[in-house]
Amino acid sequence: MTPEDKSRIFNLAIEVLKENDRGAYTVPTKGLYPFQWNWDSCFTALGQAHFDEDRAWTEMETLFEHQWPDGMVPHIIFHVHDDGYFPGPDVWGTGRATPTSGITQPPIAGFALRQLFERSADRTAAERRARALLPKIEKWFAWFYANRDPQGQGLVAILHPWEAGRDNSIDWDEAFDRVPTEGIAPYTRRDTQHADPAHRPTKAQYDRYLWLVEHFRGLGWDNARLHDASPFQVVDPGFNAILIRGCQDLAVVAEALGRADTAARNRNRAARGLAALENLWSDRHGQYLCLDRITGTLIDSPSIGGLIPVFAAIPKSRAAAIGQVIQQQATRLKYVIASHDPDDPRFEAKRYWRGPVWLVVNYLIVDGLLAAGETEVAARVLRSSLDLIEQSGFAEYYDPLTGAPCGGGRFTWTAAMVLEFLDIAA
Ligand code: GLC
């Protein structure tokens, strides 16, 4: 890419971020996702930090203004009324003043906090704002271990596929089969009016998404009860790695702010998590796998969820094996990283999280590979990511075989990641 290309793409990415900016929060894209999403916002803040530090902090602060009293940070905040999205506030019925969903999403906030804190040019503002966010993020992390790891195993479970952020991954298929669909209220999907139904989750999956929401709503969204009452409890290695990395990064910020107690607690959480993560390693696949907590067995589904752990401080040999899986993919795909192993017959190049490339995931993995010294494969992923942008613009996700743009267009987190990638590539 020439310097002119880079500067053109840099400016286009900022344009997308500004276009989706609603003042104090950013929507993922117009139409399809008209509210604030949890992990989207944290990625967005990383992008905004490249051109407006103050705005980047605000993005995260707005998210944490809607933290629940028990510590949970919801996956959607419905700041405005919009019929274009389903399921809306009525279906969730969480009873919050500003309506929110009742489930959570991958905790990128710990990582994002450290990034904003360390990069901010205005040190006084950064210290003040980090000091205010620190206890909130810690409260969220404590909530995870108390409510999603009730047996103290060191790893947390997701109770709904949407919590993983990888909505229809093949990882959930088996466990999802046990979720009933009887008795759910009739509904009309909205997502398929904005995007090609062939690229979206199926009706059978949607019925189960809704059954779980209605089930949890029936329990009054009491997080102390949800885990044990859920027929779907999956330990996702990627999700846990993000949490572990978050604990480590939170500890670094806490230390810099003189909060040794917070730092120690979070180092301890991360160490326990890293040790427990080893139980999810599969030698056969050369990567981690999800654990079905209901049956106690590993789920034979080699997806991106098992590669994301390179984002946490896993052993070097594991990082090298993950690098090899990606190199192997690169020999048969035009663009990496596919969200599911392309050699698996269940792989679908265009269907959402069952095959396509997502730049936020590429970003987490590039960061981890670089930290592990796997520079060659990191460069390969970086090249794919920038090629996709040049070829197909700021799409929600991409077909790894052709690079075709899929899902929503002018997508916020893709634009934010491009700003990050251009920086890494420089
Ligand atoms: C989809 C994605 C999820 C994301 C949301 C908003 O539901 O699967 O990860 O947070 O869209 O972009």
Side-chain angles (χ1 to χ4, degrees), residues 28 33 37 39-40 105 165 167 352-353 396 411 413:
Y33 301 119
W37 263 258
W39 73 326
D40 294 64
Q105 253 191 340
D167 303 15
Y352 222 32
W353 291 95
E396 184 177 6
F411 219 87
W413 69 7

Side-chain angles (χ1 to χ4, degrees), residues 54 57-58 61 113 117 120 122-135 253 257:
D54 171 58
W57 284 103
T58 303
E61 287 160 356
L113 174 77
F117 180 68
S120 282
D122 182 343
R123 295 311 306 160
T124 318
E127 289 209 0
R128 177 176 48 80
R129 297 175 97 160
R131 212 177 275 287
L133 278 170
L134 188 76
V253 176
L257 295 174

Side-chain angles (χ1 to χ4, degrees), residues 27-29 32-33 35-41 43 75-76 85 105-106 161-168 200-201 206 352-353 358 360 396 411-413:
V27 299
T29 187
L32 187 60
Y33 301 119
F35 315 108
Q36 184 176 22
W37 263 258
N38 185 326
W39 73 326
D40 294 64
S41 257
F43 285 117
H75 101 293
I76 305 175
Y85 180 83
Q105 253 191 340
W162 289 342
E163 292 201 304
R166 300 185 292 115
D167 303 15
N168 66 337
R200 302 288 305 176
Y206 240 82
Y352 222 32
W353 291 95
W358 293 74
V360 286
E396 184 177 6
F411 219 87
T412 298
W413 69 7

Side-chain angles (χ1 to χ4, degrees), residues 197-383:
H199 302 175
R200 302 288 305 176
T202 62
K203 168 156 180 6
Q205 283 161 343
Y206 240 82
D207 286 352
R208 289 176 170 81
Y209 296 147
L210 289 166
W211 189 90
L212 285 173
V213 169
E214 293 182 16
H215 180 57
F216 298 150
R217 189 185 65 206
L219 296 167
W221 295 109
D222 175 359
N223 275 304
R225 294 166 69 200
L226 262 42
H227 180 279
D228 290 355
S230 178
F232 182 88
Q233 301 168 9
V234 175
V235 179
D236 170 8
F239 191 101
N240 276 278
I242 290 168
L243 180 56
I244 291 166
R245 171 71 181 269
C247 290
Q248 287 167 326
D249 285 342
L250 199 69
V252 172
V253 176
E255 205 124 79
L257 295 174
R259 297 297 310 270
D261 47 346
T262 303
R265 275 196 299 275
N266 285 286
R267 289 234 160 78
N268 184 39
R269 288 179 181 130
R272 293 187 60 235
L274 280 171
L277 202 56
E278 284 305 290
N279 299 325
L280 308 188
W281 181 259
S282 160
D283 272 331
R284 184 159 75 84
H285 291 294
Q287 64 163 90
Y288 297 88
L289 295 176
C290 286
L291 172 82
D292 187 331
R293 196 174 259 174
I294 302 274
T295 61
T297 51
L298 288 181
I299 301 169
D300 191 14
S301 172
S303 80
I304 202 93
L307 306 178
I308 292 175
V310 75
F311 185 56
I314 55 169
K316 282 256 156 48
S317 59
R318 304 288 192 231
I322 286 173
Q324 272 173 25
V325 168
I326 298 166
Q327 290 285 29
Q328 173 60 28
Q329 266 196 22
T331 62
R332 72 190 280 309
L333 296 174
K334 203 157 167 211
Y335 303 94
V336 287
I337 306 166
S339 45
H340 196 85
D341 176 5
D343 288 327
D344 186 325
R346 297 168 292 183
F347 167 87
E348 290 180 81
K350 283 191 161 58
R351 203 184 282 276
Y352 222 32
W353 291 95
R354 299 173 82 89
V357 178
W358 293 74
L359 291 202
V360 286
V361 175
N362 279 11
Y363 173 75
L364 300 177
I365 292 178
V366 164
D367 179 276
L369 288 171
L370 288 174
E374 297 291 329
T375 46
E376 202 182 305
V377 57
R380 180 70 181 80
V381 181
L382 190 59
R383 197 168 70 240

